[in-house]
Amino acid sequence: MSSVESNEVNSVKSSLISDKIVFIGGGNMSRAIVSGLHSKQNEILFDFTDQISICDRNTSKLNAFRTQFGIQNTANTIPDLISNIFQSDPSSDSNSSSTKLVFILSIKPYALSDAIESLISSLNHVFKDNQVKSSREIFFISVCAGISLNSINTLIQSSLSNNVLSKPPPFTYTICRVMPNTAAQIGKSASAYSFLSNSNKNPLNERIVQVLFGSVGNVYEVKESLLDAVTGVSGSGPAYVYLFIEALSDAGVLHGLSRDVSLSLAVDTVLGAALMLKENGNLHPAQLRNQVESPGGTTIAATSALESNGFRNSVSNAVSAAVSRSKQISQEK
């Protein structure tokens, strides 16, 4: 799947226009998504003063969201945030059965269990107090690294068991897991997503994911079994590129270039090569590399040295190490 196209954005307008987008955690990823949505709010008809809510223990972060984006509903605790969302307000559509609650779980993995428990408990409290009288759909989107969809589902089910209602919970829920990367901060993330099961996936929820994460880069759907591989390639990938740029720049300094000039040359070279590959999507990287490697020239001597020193295997081993660690983290949860 490619990045979100304009027709996809148009088709999702009706599903996002009344939805409540609730960020649990106000860190860099949440800020990146909010910034991306803010820049495209006219396209997707977002009302930041009403539709977005953010919870974070850090008051200064919340103040920054208020100041920069005009977001009014912020809170330091999940119970306070949920209470604010469902406060009786004749002018609000919060109590409409058509309003979906989209919770973006953007917190550290170790904090996820307590966050879900607090969310379910707070929602239970709202329903028990009859602040919500109609059925509601809840959509959980997790960007927590290494925690599987089944693990998240287990946490939700356990929390529901611990917060028994006098009647079945008047809501259904869907779970999606997304693996973005740090380039989301500049709108250039490569994000991959997967739903808990086909039965839990519907076109509107899928498009919500595409719009939210399409606001910070390109979005791809993969099977959950491949999200560890996504972590190894794109999740951790920026660090490999930074290390390569550092090494390339240092090599230039070794041969007499100033640090500033050498680093600029290295950065521009990597950026230019990536754009060349992006704009020539029908060409394999090897084909573009071959275009630079003149017979008996400097480039073929350099790439031969990289190969003989295990460059390709080093990259492959790095990805394998990241994949292995991601699987290990998942098992630890």
Side-chain angles (χ1 to χ4, degrees):
M1 188 184 101
S2 60
S3 60
V4 178
E5 302 292 342
S6 59
N7 64 323
E8 290 177 317
V9 172
N10 290 333
S11 65
V12 81
K13 282 183 178 180
S14 61
S15 69
L16 282 178
I17 195 170
S18 63
D19 292 340
K20 299 292 184 181
I21 311 299
V22 185
F23 290 86
I24 305 301
N28 290 335
M29 189 55 61
S30 293
R31 185 175 182 81
I33 296 171
V34 169
S35 179
L37 291 173
H38 186 264
S39 68
K40 298 181 178 181
Q41 60 181 311
N42 291 333
E43 299 175 34
I44 53 180
L45 305 182
F46 260 109
D47 178 1
F48 271 64
T49 62
D50 181 57
Q51 288 179 246
I52 292 187
S53 303
I54 299 177
C55 180
D56 196 279
R57 291 178 295 181
N58 189 320
T59 301
S60 63
K61 287 183 180 180
L62 298 181
N63 289 337
F65 280 107
R66 284 173 168 265
T67 300
Q68 185 171 354
F69 303 109
I71 297 172
Q72 298 302 308
N73 188 19
T74 65
N76 295 119
T77 68
I78 290 174
D80 286 344
L81 191 73
I82 298 300
S83 178
N84 291 344
I85 292 173
F86 286 100
Q87 277 180 346
S88 296
D89 181 357
S91 65
S92 173
D93 63 356
S94 295
N95 294 328
S96 167
S97 62
S98 64
T99 302
K100 183 181 302 179
L101 283 175
V102 182
F103 289 104
I104 300 178
L105 306 173
S106 183
I107 50 182
K108 298 296 184 183
Y110 66 81
L112 185 61
S113 178
D114 288 344
I116 288 178
E117 177 72 22
S118 184
L119 273 173
I120 299 300
S121 175
S122 299
L123 290 169
N124 174 46
H125 179 74
V126 169
F127 295 136
K128 283 174 63 177
D129 287 352
N130 293 318
Q131 295 182 45
V132 180
K133 297 181 173 61
S134 55
S135 180
R136 183 67 59 89
E137 181 182 354
I138 296 177
F139 185 15
F140 295 100
I141 301 176
S142 172
V143 296
C144 299
I147 301 187
S148 70
L149 289 166
N150 281 333
S151 294
I152 297 169
N153 191 42
T154 298
L155 290 173
I156 294 172
Q157 288 293 324
S158 176
S159 295
L160 286 171
S161 298
N162 294 336
N163 294 276
V164 178
L165 298 167
S166 57
K167 57 183 179 179
F171 64 83
T172 59
Y173 68 88
T174 303
I175 310 172
C176 180
R177 181 180 166 196
V178 184
M179 173 54 65
N181 65 24
T182 57
Q185 296 174 52
I186 60 168
K188 296 296 182 182
S189 177
S191 302
Y193 69 92
S194 181
F195 280 80
L196 178 61
S197 66
N198 288 334
S199 60
N200 245 347
K201 171 185 168 183
N202 65 61
L204 291 182
N205 284 338
E206 185 170 21
R207 287 168 184 159
I208 287 173
V209 173
Q210 292 170 0
V211 169
L212 289 175
F213 290 88
S215 73
V216 293
N218 292 334
V219 190
Y220 308 88
E221 182 181 14
V222 300
K223 296 179 180 178
E224 191 193 11
S225 60
L226 295 175
L227 281 178
D228 292 318
V230 170
T231 299
V233 174
S234 59
S236 301
Y240 318 153
V241 178
Y242 299 146
L243 183 59
F244 174 75
I245 290 173
E246 180 185 356
L248 186 60
S249 175
D250 284 350
V253 173
L254 176 66
H255 289 280
L257 292 172
S258 69
R259 287 203 171 272
D260 287 347
V261 169
S262 191
L263 180 57
S264 294
L265 287 171
V267 170
D268 288 342
T269 298
V270 171
L271 179 60
L275 290 174
M276 282 280 290
L277 192 57
K278 189 83 171 178
E279 293 180 9
N280 292 275
N282 59 323
L283 295 180
H284 190 275
Q287 291 176 283
L288 289 175
R289 173 171 57 83
N290 292 160
Q291 292 177 11
V292 188
E293 295 173 329
S294 301
T298 58
T299 304
I300 190 64
T303 54
S304 177
L306 285 172
E307 294 283 16
S308 63
N309 283 281
F311 178 77
R312 190 183 300 269
N313 285 338
S314 292
V315 173
S316 180
N317 289 340
V319 172
S320 295
V323 171
S324 177
R325 180 55 183 151
S326 180
K327 290 179 179 179
Q328 184 180 18
I329 292 173
S330 180
Q331 292 170 357
E332 290 173 355
K333 304 304 174 186

